[in-house]
């Protein structure tokens, strides 16, 4: 599945202060996962994915601020712990695709930080 997202920014005092990925509505749980978990724990999550893909571990289960995730070699289950009743609360993502999305987020975040440092934004 192709997970389309838009790069968005939160502004503070008229300046872009925070970059985030906003996924389409049907995959919106990924927006929560990226803003609540990847932002804070991206190194740990990438390491967990690598451990599973390299077969050092069969699977990894973890819970963060907003979400629970269960990484297996083929798929990763992500559960939004605070989803409103009646709204989707989980999504299954291809594990390789999740790693690719995290890499894209890291690259976008690094570019954003560089532009901020140079005063370009």
């Amino acid at each position: 599945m192709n997970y389309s997202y838009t790069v968005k920014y939160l502004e503070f005092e008229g300046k872009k202060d925070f970059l985030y990925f906003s996924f389409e509505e049907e995959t919106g749980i990924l927006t929560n996962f990226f803003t609540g978990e990847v932002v804070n724990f991206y190194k740990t999550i990438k390491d967990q994915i690598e451990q599973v893909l390299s077969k050092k571990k069969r699977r990894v289960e973890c819970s963060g601020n907003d979400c629970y995730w269960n990484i297996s070699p083929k798929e990763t289950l992500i559960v939004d712990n605070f989803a409103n009743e009646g709204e989707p609360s989980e999504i299954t993502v291809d594990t390789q695709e999740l790693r690719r999305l995290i890499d894209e987020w890291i690259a976008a975040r690094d570019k954003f930080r560089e532009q901020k440092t140079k005063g370009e934004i």
Side-chain angles (χ1 to χ4, degrees), residues 11-12 15 28 30 33 49 53 57 61 75 92 113 116:
E11 292 189 18
F12 181 71
K15 294 186 179 185
L30 285 174
F33 181 69
I49 291 171
L53 292 177
K57 292 189 176 182
E61 293 181 66
E75 298 176 328
T92 302
R113 286 181 172 174
K116 277 186 76 165

Side-chain angles (χ1 to χ4, degrees), residues 44-106:
T44 300
I45 296 168
K46 272 196 69 167
D47 183 54
Q48 292 170 340
I49 291 171
E50 293 305 321
Q51 287 177 17
V52 171
L53 292 177
S54 67
K55 299 183 179 168
K56 290 180 182 173
K57 292 189 176 182
R58 279 191 45 217
R59 70 177 48 248
V60 173
E61 293 181 66
C62 197
S63 188
N65 295 325
D66 297 321
C67 298
Y68 156 87
W69 56 97
N70 185 334
I71 304 166
S72 70
K74 292 187 185 266
E75 298 176 328
T76 298
L77 172 67
I78 299 169
V79 179
D80 183 341
N81 294 330
F82 300 104
N84 293 324
E85 192 173 321
E87 292 182 6
S89 62
E90 63 183 52
I91 188 170
T92 302
V93 181
D94 178 87
T95 300
Q96 297 264 4
E97 178 71 3
L98 181 60
R99 179 175 63 180
R100 185 188 68 75
L101 290 168
I102 291 171
D103 288 340
E104 286 182 20
W105 176 84
I106 291 168

